């Protein structure tokens, strides 16, 4: 399979990601780990707030990708 871009959104994925040829652009944007944050939550609602925040941050990142790729250097 041919890829133009590989996007990772957690540090574990970035570390475990296989090697890709130089022609493929690898983009990494790390986000907080909701399960790790939820362990310290004082309530279900507080735990859920971590998941929702990270979900929204990932959504915003994904929605911004097309424009940021248009303004970046080609792979």
């Amino acid at each position: 399979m041919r890829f133009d871009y590989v996007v990772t959104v957690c540090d574990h994925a970035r570390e475990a990601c296989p090697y890709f040829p130089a022609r493929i652009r690898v983009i990494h944007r790390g986000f907080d780990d909701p399960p790790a944050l939820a362990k310290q939550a004082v309530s279900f609602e507080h735990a859920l707030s971590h998941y929702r925040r990270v979900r929204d941050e990932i959504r915003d990142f994904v929605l911004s990708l097309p424009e940021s790729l248009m303004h970046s250097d080609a792979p």
Side-chain angles (χ1 to χ4, degrees):
M1 226 182 228
R2 183 178 174 277
F3 297 98
D4 293 322
Y5 299 96
V6 173
V7 179
T8 58
V9 295
C10 76
D11 291 333
H12 177 71
R14 181 183 197 179
E15 294 167 8
C17 201
Y19 169 77
F20 290 96
R23 294 179 50 203
I24 294 174
R25 176 125 182 248
V26 178
I27 301 165
H28 174 72
R29 168 65 163 82
F31 293 92
D32 289 335
D33 181 18
L37 297 172
K39 286 180 185 178
Q40 302 171 4
V42 295
S43 68
F44 175 77
E45 200 56 42
H46 184 240
L48 192 56
S49 71
H50 294 298
Y51 285 89
R52 288 177 174 157
R53 178 181 57 80
V54 174
R55 173 204 62 198
D56 293 345
E57 290 173 1
I58 292 171
R59 180 193 62 226
D60 293 343
F61 168 70
V62 169
L63 291 174
S64 73
L65 269 176
E67 185 172 340
S68 65
L69 294 176
M70 284 179 22
H71 294 84
S72 68
D73 295 330

